[in-house]
Amino acid sequence: GRVLALQSIHESLGDFARQLASVPAPDRPPLVRNLVEGLHLLLGLADEAVADDDNASTTLLRDLTGERSELMDQVRQELLGGSRTLAGRESLLSATLLFERVLWLLRRL
């Protein structure tokens, strides 16, 4: 169970990074940095929750990875408006979908 979840998280994070890296730096809206930092925070929190069986970390992780569809729709709109190329917009859209997948996987973990 957990091994498969971790493998899926690993694969999704790799895909997330590849999608963002495919967008030239000048075409990456500033919000991209927030997504990356947010994932970094959540992964650290997941590590704490699993390593120490920390109930506070587990509760916080569950709260932070909860349903965020409306917020993610707003993030997508802002990101898509920031890229000048169709390929860049497609990559950013894919990255936001992968971000949501990682959130879902972390919640399940």
Side-chain angles (χ1 to χ4, degrees):
R2 280 192 172 175
V3 171
L4 290 175
L6 288 172
Q7 287 174 330
S8 293
I9 290 169
H10 182 262
E11 290 171 9
S12 294
L13 287 170
D15 291 342
F16 174 80
R18 280 187 286 284
Q19 290 298 325
L20 292 182
S22 73
V23 179
D27 283 352
R28 283 186 220 136
L31 187 56
V32 166
R33 183 180 176 109
N34 295 11
L35 290 178
V36 172
E37 289 174 355
L39 279 178
H40 184 258
L41 171 80
L42 291 170
L43 291 168
L45 190 57
D47 180 52
E48 287 176 24
V50 172
D52 299 329
D53 200 24
D54 184 349
N55 288 336
S57 295
T58 301
T59 300
L60 182 56
L61 183 64
R62 189 177 304 119
D63 290 344
L64 292 174
T65 58
E67 177 61 33
R68 301 277 189 256
S69 294
E70 187 174 310
L71 176 61
M72 287 308 298
D73 286 342
Q74 291 173 351
V75 167
R76 263 189 284 283
Q77 291 306 314
E78 185 173 332
L79 285 175
L80 295 178
S83 182
R84 292 176 280 193
T85 67
L86 178 59
R89 287 190 295 273
E90 288 175 351
S91 292
L92 291 171
L93 174 62
S94 181
T96 62
L97 295 171
L98 288 160
F99 180 90
E100 283 185 291
R101 177 172 170 69
V102 170
L103 292 183
W104 180 78
L105 289 166
L106 283 172
R107 185 169 177 82
R108 285 189 50 205
L109 182 65

